[in-house]
């Protein structure tokens, strides 16, 4: 199981566009259409399954909020920072 990251490690390892809210990494992606957001969420789900690490995904009007934390560790680990970076690649 991945170890919890310190605040300094999280700041150093998290992708720039993500914020820390309690025990979660959070980013809201914006899209030109609702269905683009749905498509992103589906792709993110595939990456999550591949990593066997699962975010909360909230699909809204032309936006998708992603929340990542490692439940098994009770906070943020490199599993979260790594998957966040992969989501950013998917969204680019
Ligand atoms: C048994 C445990 O649920 C699994 O090892 C995986 C599944 N997906 C997971 N996803 C997240 N976000 N955190 C976990 O700790 C986690 N654990």
């Amino acid at each position: 199981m991945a170890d919890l990251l310190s605040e300094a490690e999280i700041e150093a390892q998290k992708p720039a566009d993500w914020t820390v809210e309690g025990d979660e990494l959070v980013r809201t992606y914006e899209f030109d259409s609702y269905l683009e957001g749905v498509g992103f969420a589906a792709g993110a789900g595939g990456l999550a399954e591949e990593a066997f690490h699962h975010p909360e995904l909230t699909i809204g009007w032309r936006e998708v909020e992603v929340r990542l934390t490692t439940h098994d560790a009770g906070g943020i680990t490199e599993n979260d920072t790594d998957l966040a970076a992969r989501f950013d690649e998917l969204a680019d």
Side-chain angles (χ1 to χ4, degrees):
M1 179 182 72
D3 295 330
L4 284 178
L5 297 177
S6 67
E7 285 184 22
E9 288 169 327
I10 294 168
E11 282 307 313
Q13 293 183 26
K14 73 171 184 64
D17 293 325
W18 290 71
T19 57
V20 178
E21 292 184 16
D23 288 337
E24 296 179 315
L25 279 183
V26 185
R27 180 174 180 182
T28 298
Y29 294 90
E30 297 182 359
F31 301 94
D32 293 333
S33 73
Y34 175 77
L35 286 180
E36 273 187 68
V38 172
F40 168 79
L47 291 175
E49 270 300 285
E50 208 173 275
F52 202 57
H53 193 70
H54 304 89
E56 280 183 28
L57 300 170
T58 304
I59 298 172
W61 168 241
R62 300 193 296 186
E63 64 179 28
V64 177
E65 179 188 75
V66 184
R67 289 182 173 271
L68 278 163
T69 191
T70 302
H71 303 294
D72 296 343
I76 297 170
T77 70
E78 64 184 16
N79 293 335
D80 302 301
T81 55
D82 290 352
L83 195 52
R86 296 184 72 189
F87 288 159
D88 285 355
E89 288 170 17
L90 178 66
D92 281 350

